[in-house]
């Protein structure tokens, strides 16, 4: 009985020694042959039943390689990288990837974006392609404030004095169409609808304004180092209500009351990231006769206006446009005009020439891109002289927002 227990105890101890030796063989490869010899000597004393168990243990330990982290050999040599042999991430010329990264003909650049931003607000500096039609809508508001002094003098004595504060508001809706006759010649026409109100007269008026026609021509093709030159002309009708054919004390006009024609020239210069521009123009107003308008007078006599000669108006403007990014831009400009040789003739033979007038304004415009091909411009104008509006506001956008996009004429 005791011999059996001793044999079983010896068998269990031998199995533990074999398992430990197999694990040590995997963790210490240099002593592998020595451990295997010791294990084999031990198993010879245990008998044939133990040999089968040893075979199973060897099979299981051989199929799994266990290497503790603490036994891993440190890397003794530094890793060397040959920069010349490292492949570049830049696509090689001629490959499809390189061709995809190259700029296409229709891609937007800084200069083309700046040009589009600039011409969307300053149309007299640009032309459209032959056969194209484009339409625009402009909404403008202007405010005039004036102080009028009414005085009566009798035999050198002032016996009546009244100061009247006047303010007038004008809203103008203008629809403009452009047509490219040639690549360097563009015709345009604009139709204004005007609404007015006057505080002093306590009246309002609304109706058609003066229809205008224009043309822009670029005589020379673009050339490096040479400023582009655009010549433009205009013809303004008198389709609105004339201020010389209404009762000036109670009514308001929606037009200027005479025909006029004008010419001018403009140029521009791109200096990244801005574009500088300037223009000069002159207009001549044609004389109006047979007016028969009552213009004041005493209790015994009445002054009746017979003819009016507008004279010549000349002006200039300059400014710059800057594009903050693809979607937002700003334009700042200054414009000034002079009017001379204006005269009034009455039926009594009396002739009156008004002094020269000067009008100047400073304007700031902000352009916002609302779609890849549409830019909306908002403008703030500040009058700098007595003959200018005190303030003006404007909103301009192409009518493709409403479905009337730029298109080719058929």
């Amino acid at each position: 009985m005791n011999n059996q227990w001793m044999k079983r105890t010896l068998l269990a101890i031998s199995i533990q020694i074999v398992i430990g030796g197999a694990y040590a063989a995997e963790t210490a490869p240099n002593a592998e042959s020595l451990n295997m010899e010791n294990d084999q000597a031990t198993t010879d004393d245990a008998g044939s039943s133990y040999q089968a168990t040893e075979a199973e243990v060897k099979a299981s330990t051989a199929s799994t390689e266990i290497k503790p982290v603490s036994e891993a050999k440190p890397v003794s040599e530094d890793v060397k990288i040959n920069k010349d042999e490292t492949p570049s991430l830049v696509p090689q010329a001629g490959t499809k990837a390189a061709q995809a990264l190259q700029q296409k003909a229709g891609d937007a650049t800084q200069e083309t974006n700046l040009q589009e931003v600039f011409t969307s607000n300053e149309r007299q500096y640009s032309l459209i392609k032959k056969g194209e039609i484009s339409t625009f809508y402009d909404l403008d508001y202007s405010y005039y404030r004036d102080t009028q002094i009414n005085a009566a003098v009798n035999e050198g004595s002032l016996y009546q004095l009244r100061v009247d504060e006047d303010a007038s508001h004008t809203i103008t809706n203008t629809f403009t169409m452009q047509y490219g006759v040639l690549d360097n010649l563009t015709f345009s026409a604009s139709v204004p609808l005007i609404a007015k109100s006057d505080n002093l007269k306590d009246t309002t008026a609304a109706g058609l304004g003066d229809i205008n026609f224009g043309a822009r021509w670029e005589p020379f093709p673009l050339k490096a180092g040479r400023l582009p030159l655009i010549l433009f002309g205009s013809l303004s009708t008198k389709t609105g209500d004339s201020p010389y054919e209404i009762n000036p004390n109670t009514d308001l006009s929606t037009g200027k009351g005479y025909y006029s024609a004008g010419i001018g020239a403009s140029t521009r210069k791109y200096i990244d990231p801005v574009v500088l521009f300037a223009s000069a123009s002159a207009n001549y107003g044609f004389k109006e006769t047979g007016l028969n308008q009552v213009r004041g007078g005493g209790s015994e006599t009445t002054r009746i206006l017979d003819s009016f000669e507008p004279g010549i108006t000349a002006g200039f403007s300059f400014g710059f446009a800057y594009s903050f990014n693809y979607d937002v831009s700003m334009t700042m400009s200054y414009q000034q005009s002079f009017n001379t040789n204006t005269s009034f003739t009455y039926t009594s033979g009396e002739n009156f020439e008004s002094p020269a007038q000067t009008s100047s304004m400073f304007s700031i415009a902000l352009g916002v891109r609302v779609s890849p091909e549409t830019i909306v411009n908002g403008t703030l104008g500040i009058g700098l002289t007595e003959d200018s509006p005190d303030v003006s506001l404007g909103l301009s956008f192409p009518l493709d927002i409403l479905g009337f996009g730029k298109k080719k004429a058929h």
Side-chain angles (χ1 to χ4, degrees):
M1 184 68 178
N2 292 332
N3 292 334
Q4 293 179 354
W5 280 106
M6 290 178 65
K7 291 181 179 181
R8 293 177 180 176
T9 302
L10 180 60
L11 179 60
I13 293 173
S14 300
I15 293 175
Q16 292 179 356
I17 293 175
V18 172
I19 295 176
Y23 180 79
E26 294 298 327
T27 57
N30 294 333
E32 180 180 359
S33 59
L34 180 60
N35 290 338
M36 291 300 293
E37 291 175 0
N38 294 335
D39 291 344
Q40 184 65 37
T42 306
T43 53
D44 290 339
D45 296 336
S48 60
S49 61
Y50 173 68
Q51 291 178 358
T53 305
E54 183 187 16
E56 295 175 358
V57 172
K58 289 183 178 180
S60 62
T61 55
S63 62
T64 305
E65 296 182 1
I66 302 176
K67 294 184 179 181
V69 176
S70 61
E71 297 295 335
K73 292 184 179 180
V75 179
S76 59
E77 297 182 358
D78 296 334
V79 178
K80 297 182 179 180
I81 299 176
N82 189 343
K83 297 181 180 180
D84 296 333
E85 296 180 357
T86 303
S88 173
L89 298 178
V90 180
Q92 297 297 324
T95 62
K96 293 183 178 180
Q99 294 175 358
L101 292 176
Q102 291 178 356
Q103 187 178 51
K104 302 299 187 297
D107 291 349
T109 63
Q110 178 71 11
E111 182 173 341
T112 57
N113 179 50
L114 187 59
Q115 181 176 359
E116 184 180 4
V117 165
F118 168 63
T119 56
S120 68
N121 190 46
E122 305 290 340
R123 295 176 206 139
Q124 69 180 15
Y125 296 88
S126 64
L127 302 171
I128 61 176
K129 296 297 182 180
K130 178 180 178 180
E132 286 187 351
I133 297 175
S134 62
T135 54
F136 296 89
Y137 170 72
D138 297 274
L139 175 62
D140 299 293
Y141 165 79
S142 61
Y143 170 74
Y144 287 85
R145 184 180 179 276
D146 192 17
T147 301
Q148 298 181 2
I149 298 177
N150 295 323
V153 179
N154 185 17
E155 296 180 356
S157 298
L158 178 65
Y159 65 90
Q160 180 180 343
L161 177 63
R162 187 178 73 237
V163 178
D164 296 326
E165 296 291 338
D166 188 18
S168 62
H169 308 266
T170 304
I171 297 177
T172 305
N173 301 270
T174 305
F175 298 89
T176 303
M177 176 178 290
Q178 299 182 124
Y179 173 68
V181 181
L182 300 172
D183 286 343
N184 65 336
L185 179 62
T186 298
F187 286 168
S188 63
S190 60
V191 179
L193 303 175
I194 299 176
K196 282 186 174 183
S197 69
D198 189 282
N199 292 352
L200 187 61
K201 296 179 181 179
D202 192 21
T203 185
T204 61
L208 179 66
D210 295 333
I211 297 176
N212 295 278
F213 301 94
R216 300 192 301 276
W217 176 49
E218 189 170 15
F220 309 109
L222 294 177
K223 184 179 180 180
R226 182 174 63 189
L227 293 177
L229 176 65
I230 293 182
L231 304 178
F232 57 88
S234 63
L235 175 63
S236 179
T237 65
K238 58 173 187 176
T239 52
D241 296 332
S242 172
Y244 309 107
E245 297 178 356
I246 62 173
N247 187 338
N249 299 320
T250 59
D251 299 331
L252 297 175
S253 64
T254 60
K256 61 184 182 303
Y258 57 89
Y259 289 97
S260 66
I263 57 173
S266 66
T267 187
R268 63 190 184 274
K269 174 66 175 179
Y270 291 99
I271 305 177
D272 191 25
V274 301
V275 54
L276 307 177
F277 59 90
S279 68
S281 62
N283 287 271
Y284 176 77
F286 296 95
K287 184 178 181 178
E288 289 290 319
T289 59
L291 299 178
N292 197 30
Q293 183 186 47
V294 177
R295 285 283 185 114
S299 57
E300 298 180 357
T301 59
T302 301
R303 299 175 65 188
I304 299 177
L305 181 64
D306 179 61
S307 62
F308 165 70
E309 189 170 356
I312 299 175
T313 301
F316 65 89
S317 67
F318 59 86
F320 72 92
Y322 177 79
S323 179
F324 295 102
N325 51 46
Y326 182 73
D327 296 320
V328 181
S329 62
M330 182 181 68
T331 303
M332 301 179 68
S333 63
Y334 172 81
Q335 54 186 352
Q336 185 169 348
S337 62
F338 309 91
N339 182 256
T340 60
N341 299 328
T342 301
S343 62
F344 300 86
T345 303
Y346 298 89
T347 55
S348 61
E350 182 183 3
N351 185 55
F352 172 75
E353 291 188 2
S354 64
Q357 296 179 335
T358 300
S359 175
S360 63
M361 289 196 70
F362 174 73
S363 301
I364 302 176
L366 182 67
V368 178
R369 187 183 297 274
V370 297
S371 73
E373 297 182 355
T374 303
I375 297 176
V376 176
N377 291 281
T379 305
L380 169 64
I382 301 175
L384 304 178
T385 62
E386 289 292 333
D387 300 317
S388 305
D390 291 87
V391 63
S392 64
L393 299 173
L395 181 66
S396 174
F397 55 84
L399 289 180
D400 56 4
I401 294 180
L402 305 178
F404 300 94
K406 181 185 293 186
K407 55 183 180 295
K408 281 273 190 180
H410 297 287

